[in-house]
Amino acid sequence: MKKALNLALVGIILGGAAAHAQDFDDRLYLSPRVGGVFADNDRRTDDALFLGLSVGRFVSPNWAVDFEFGHNDFDIDNSNTEWENLSLGVAARYFFNEGQSFRPYLMAGGGAIRHDTRIGGRGWNPMLNVGAGFQYGFSEDLFLRGELAYRHDYDNESIDGNFGQPDEPSYGDFIASVGLVIMLGDRHAPPPPPP
């Protein structure tokens, strides 16, 4: 009898842990955002409007993974041309306050960024992102997301001496953005508790 009771207790604990592990919203979401890029002084450009779009999902109650696209055009100082950046990458976000409407998070990611100075250097280079932000839920299907991130851009060829500027090994920009998180599809019901 005692052995059966112990086995039942272990089954309840493991079953409860499995149910808890699956009790989060794992639907895909779409996240459009807008903001500003505060350019590295070494770029010798104005700050720029930032547009972004990502597709992601939560892979656990606290972790989400996003595939991200970003775009900005810098106006180059003392020139009638622009410096365009297109970025493609992946970012992981760790969320605090599980189960709450307001959830701060930390972010880290990487990918590639394309440069085009219109009259000179162009090409792809690696980039890394780190940042922090918050997500606030209006409902189960719609959230507000705000973020401040640092983008380290390993570009060393776009300027290439144009406009009297020396080559730079890399640039560090700050990106402040705000956007929406729109959940796609119907939320799956959590699994029933074990009998």
Side-chain angles (χ1 to χ4, degrees):
M1 177 74 174
K2 187 175 181 183
K3 186 176 181 182
L5 185 60
N6 286 340
L7 287 174
L9 187 59
V10 168
I12 289 170
I13 291 170
L14 292 177
H20 176 72
Q22 295 300 317
D23 191 17
F24 64 93
D25 193 343
D26 64 350
R27 291 178 289 170
L28 285 175
Y29 58 76
L30 194 63
S31 182
R33 58 187 175 136
V34 64
V37 182
F38 302 95
D40 187 324
N41 289 336
D42 289 335
R43 285 191 190 273
R44 300 188 189 177
T45 66
D46 294 335
D47 297 331
L49 175 70
F50 176 82
L51 299 173
L53 181 66
S54 64
V55 176
R57 68 185 291 254
F58 276 83
V59 295
S60 79
N62 298 99
W63 284 99
V65 176
D66 289 39
F67 293 94
E68 301 185 326
F69 165 80
H71 177 267
N72 64 266
D73 278 330
F74 295 112
D75 290 327
I76 297 175
D77 293 345
N78 304 315
S79 170
N80 292 323
T81 192
E82 295 179 336
W83 185 346
E84 181 185 40
N85 289 156
L86 291 173
S87 59
L88 296 172
V90 61
R93 290 175 171 85
Y94 181 82
F95 288 81
F96 301 93
N97 293 351
E98 181 182 346
Q100 304 296 313
S101 294
F102 180 81
R103 300 192 70 186
Y105 65 82
L106 298 175
M107 180 274 290
I113 185 166
R114 180 181 183 272
H115 302 271
D116 186 350
T117 58
R118 305 284 198 261
I119 62 171
R122 62 184 59 173
W124 289 89
N125 295 97
M127 69 169 186
L128 294 174
N129 297 315
V130 292
F134 71 89
Q135 187 164 294
Y136 179 79
F138 296 115
S139 70
E140 286 189 347
D141 299 319
L142 184 65
F143 301 83
L144 174 70
R145 183 181 282 180
E147 184 173 284
L148 178 62
Y150 172 79
R151 177 179 70 190
H152 193 82
D153 172 3
Y154 288 92
D155 173 37
N156 63 359
E157 57 199 24
S158 291
I159 293 299
D160 195 23
N162 290 333
F163 319 112
Q165 295 174 229
D167 290 346
E168 294 291 340
S170 62
Y171 299 97
D173 306 311
F174 285 94
I175 301 173
S177 65
V178 64
L180 296 174
V181 174
I182 304 161
M183 307 303 287
L184 304 175
D186 295 325
R187 182 170 183 173
H188 303 297

